[in-house]
Amino acid sequence: MNWLKSGFELSFRIRPVGIALAALYAITCWTTWRLSVDQFFLPAGVRVAALLLCPPRLWPYLILGEYAYFAQMRYPMIEAYGVGWVILASACLMPAVALIIHLHRKAMEATTEGWLLSVAASAALVASALKLGLSHLLWPAPPTMPFYSNAALFVLGDYIAILTVAPLALLWMRRHSGYGWSAWRLPPTLAALCSLCVLGALIALVGAHDPMARALLQLLLVLPVIALTCMHGWRGAAVGVPLMNLMLSATMPTTGLPSSFDQTTFFTQQIIAITSTALLALGSRITHHYHQQTRPAMEISQAIAFSRSAHLANERDLRERALGLRRIADDIEAVLGETAHLLRTNGHEGPATDLLRTFSSRSRQFRELTSRVYPTELEQAGLYVALQAGGLREAWDSSHRLVRPMLAGDPCKLSMGLQLAAYRLLAEAVLLLLEEEKGQILIRARCGRSGGQQGIVFTVALLDRHSTLAPATQGLAIERLSARANAYSGAVQCRINRIRIMMRDTPLDSPQLVPSRNVSYPSETATRH
């Protein structure tokens, strides 16, 4: 029980950035309050947006900023409504909404953005319930307006304001997330934004004289937002819905005071609130399904990139080995040439001639084997020359089963990696038919351009068209050749008597009820403000 004698020690740190944040928040809330009306209360949206953008360690400064905002506004109301209401009602809104944001933290990490609607609805309901409940409990004289009518007005105004400001904050939070922008989206996006601006201008010009036309134009504002949502998912809704709501508020007939209210626009805003909810939910689902569809494609592209990198790394290793063997052969040839020269100098012409003849034969075989390790001819003259002049061709000729290949197109337009992959696939396919099948073999290859991409198609077939590849041979062909072909967006097909392989040089990198606007709807300004 020593703590009873020693007491408590509390320490806290005040950050200058936090004080600046509190001041900025208070100024922003006061400014947006001056631009708000009862049915479109922007400080409610600023409150949620600030909590989304700021980390929890800075939330106490937001509470301080909101208290300062309420203090300068409600201090003159103490005599009329009591000091208890001024203190409690000013201090409880931000912590309550912060708790709602905190409870949605796990949902905020999901791929969809549907949680924003839950945050908006919960914050609007809780904030309105606190404001109205405390006013009925603590005011000396309770509000004259029916509780449910006032609640409907406040909840709708807060909800629309949150859907106006919070999506922009979420858009800023997700600014670094991947988004597959396509060039075709630019013209329709600009057209939709221009349509929003034109409709807003028409509402401002025509609506003042014709309430029916104003209501119709307000509903037409939804069409460009639908287009943006369909094109960009939740990002389109996050831009279109706030723009639509801001244009509605800017063209709303008001008295210039924050307590202004317009009955016609109120009914229109009920429809707009439902539409905004539907559009944000639709945009969230579109983006979710888009990610679900593109994730497998991205994984496949990544797997192809890894496979291609592995094959190229293996080819670089083989190239270094082949060049090393060539250097060894050159050194041996130089030494044997000096030896033969010494033998001739000493009068041993016969042994020198036999040595050179034997070495010439073995050297040719060695170089053929070395070229099969890595075809250096391919780097100098292309794929077709490597097939017809390298060691691989010598091995094919020695089998006496290959006829003259039919080659078309210019392989030098293909990348070196694709040419090497085609060389290896051809060698493997021919070896497979030599080992597993009987009869003569024909190679056909064609290089060309299709769909804006360079590629090659080649077949390794039995010359006898009436022959059929054995099922075991077809299975081995798919198993051995598919990996290297897939690395270049290719495919391996076995048809009757032939193996067909295609590869592409793809880069690795979509009834109306409109009351008269003169009918007033009373509001409790002190409760709201």
Side-chain angles (χ1 to χ4, degrees):
M1 305 296 292
N2 291 331
W3 61 274
L4 288 175
K5 299 179 181 179
S6 59
F8 297 95
E9 181 179 353
L10 298 177
S11 62
F12 56 92
R13 179 183 301 172
I14 298 178
R15 296 183 175 89
V17 65
I19 300 299
L21 177 64
L24 177 63
Y25 177 78
I27 294 172
T28 303
C29 285
W30 184 85
T31 304
T32 53
W33 170 70
R34 299 296 302 177
L35 301 175
S36 300
V37 293
D38 273 351
Q39 64 202 66
F40 186 67
F41 197 62
L42 281 174
V46 174
R47 180 184 299 120
V48 174
L51 290 170
L52 290 176
L53 292 174
C54 296
R57 68 178 182 274
L58 296 179
W59 286 1
Y61 297 101
L62 294 178
I63 297 175
L64 176 63
E66 181 162 274
Y67 199 81
Y69 152 68
F70 279 128
Q72 61 84 27
M73 190 165 49
R74 291 181 174 179
Y75 179 76
M77 302 179 182
I78 292 179
E79 294 183 1
Y81 300 103
V83 66
W85 173 80
V86 171
I87 294 176
L88 291 179
S90 302
C92 64
L93 292 183
M94 178 63 81
V97 177
L99 179 61
I100 293 173
I101 300 294
H102 177 72
L103 294 177
H104 286 79
R105 280 290 173 181
K106 291 185 178 180
M108 292 167 63
E109 299 175 359
T111 57
T112 61
E113 284 70 26
W115 55 266
L116 184 61
L117 297 175
S118 176
V119 168
S122 303
L125 288 171
V126 170
S128 299
L130 287 173
K131 286 182 286 190
L132 290 174
L134 291 174
S135 64
H136 278 268
L137 287 175
L138 301 177
W139 279 11
T144 58
M145 184 178 184
F147 181 86
Y148 295 107
S149 299
N150 214 358
L153 174 63
F154 284 6
V155 169
L156 182 63
D158 284 9
Y159 183 72
I160 293 177
I162 293 172
L163 293 187
T164 301
V165 184
L168 300 176
L170 181 59
L171 193 64
W172 177 259
M173 293 169 59
R174 299 283 197 268
R175 65 189 183 278
H176 295 306
S177 61
Y179 178 57
W181 173 267
S182 300
W184 67 268
R185 290 190 176 98
L186 182 59
T189 300
L190 294 177
L193 293 175
C194 292
S195 300
L196 275 174
C197 296
V198 170
L199 288 172
L202 290 175
I203 293 173
L205 294 175
V206 178
H209 310 287
D210 191 347
M212 293 291 292
R214 178 162 67 93
L216 178 60
L217 291 173
Q218 287 174 341
L219 293 179
L220 288 178
L221 282 174
V222 178
L223 297 180
V225 184
I226 293 176
L228 289 173
T229 303
C230 293
M231 286 187 291
H232 302 283
W234 77 268
R235 287 178 174 83
V239 173
V241 169
L243 285 177
M244 177 179 64
N245 291 337
L246 288 173
M247 289 182 181
L248 283 174
S249 65
T251 57
M252 187 187 306
T254 64
T255 61
L257 299 175
S259 59
S260 297
F261 182 82
D262 180 67
Q263 178 72 9
T264 303
T265 307
F266 180 70
F267 280 96
T268 305
Q269 278 190 303
Q270 295 180 47
I271 302 175
I272 295 302
I274 298 174
T275 305
S276 301
T277 303
L279 288 174
L280 287 170
L282 174 63
S284 175
R285 298 311 302 171
I286 289 175
T287 301
H288 174 71
H289 288 296
Y290 172 78
H291 287 310
Q292 292 294 324
Q293 294 295 326
T294 56
R295 183 178 292 111
M298 294 176 62
E299 292 175 354
I300 292 174
S301 178
Q302 189 177 39
I304 290 175
F306 289 159
S307 178
R308 189 179 298 185
S309 298
H311 290 152
L312 291 176
N314 184 56
E315 292 293 344
R316 285 194 295 268
D317 181 60
L318 292 176
R319 184 178 186 275
E320 293 299 323
R321 294 184 183 184
L323 293 177
L325 293 174
R326 289 284 180 88
R327 286 192 293 268
I328 294 174
D330 293 340
D331 294 341
I332 294 175
E333 183 177 356
V335 172
L336 289 177
E338 294 177 359
T339 303
H341 178 69
L342 290 174
L343 289 174
R344 286 197 181 97
T345 303
N346 295 325
H348 302 287
E349 185 68 26
T353 303
D354 293 339
L355 178 63
L356 290 176
R357 184 184 304 112
T358 303
F359 173 74
S360 176
S361 175
R362 299 302 182 186
S363 177
R364 185 178 67 255
Q365 295 176 5
F366 183 83
R367 292 183 183 277
E368 291 174 0
L369 292 174
T370 303
S371 68
R372 293 174 64 180
V373 173
Y374 183 84
T376 54
E377 300 87 356
L378 188 145
E379 295 182 355
Q380 301 167 1
L383 173 64
Y384 290 169
V385 173
L387 291 175
Q388 298 181 84
L392 189 61
R393 182 63 187 180
E394 296 292 335
W396 290 349
D397 290 341
S398 64
S399 69
H400 304 291
R401 290 180 54 188
L402 269 80
V403 301
R404 183 177 181 85
M406 302 175 65
L407 309 174
D410 183 7
C412 295
K413 295 181 179 179
L414 306 176
S415 67
M416 189 59 60
L418 180 55
Q419 293 187 63
L420 286 169
Y423 180 88
R424 301 298 183 189
L425 286 173
L426 271 170
E428 185 67 25
V430 171
L431 179 61
L432 181 63
L433 292 190
L434 289 175
E435 293 177 348
E436 303 294 334
E437 300 292 335
K438 297 180 180 180
Q440 297 294 103
I441 298 173
L442 173 63
I443 297 175
R444 289 189 179 93
R446 177 179 292 276
C447 301
R449 189 176 187 86
S450 176
Q453 296 175 344
Q454 294 287 345
I456 182 172
V457 178
F458 55 89
T459 59
V460 181
L462 298 176
L463 192 59
D464 185 2
R465 297 184 178 181
H466 300 287
S467 300
T468 303
L469 296 179
T473 304
Q474 297 182 20
L476 288 173
I478 299 296
E479 179 182 350
R480 295 182 184 180
L481 307 178
S482 294
R484 199 181 295 271
N486 290 338
Y488 287 89
S489 304
V492 179
Q493 300 173 339
C494 296
R495 297 179 177 178
I496 308 176
N497 68 327
R498 64 185 181 274
I499 299 172
R500 182 177 182 271
I501 303 174
M502 179 192 67
M503 293 189 294
R504 291 176 294 174
D505 221 349
T506 55
L508 294 179
D509 309 340
S510 91
Q512 291 185 329
L513 178 60
V514 183
S516 172
R517 70 181 180 91
N518 295 323
V519 178
S520 62
Y521 196 101
S523 61
E524 298 289 346
T525 60
T527 304
R528 167 64 85 185
H529 309 311

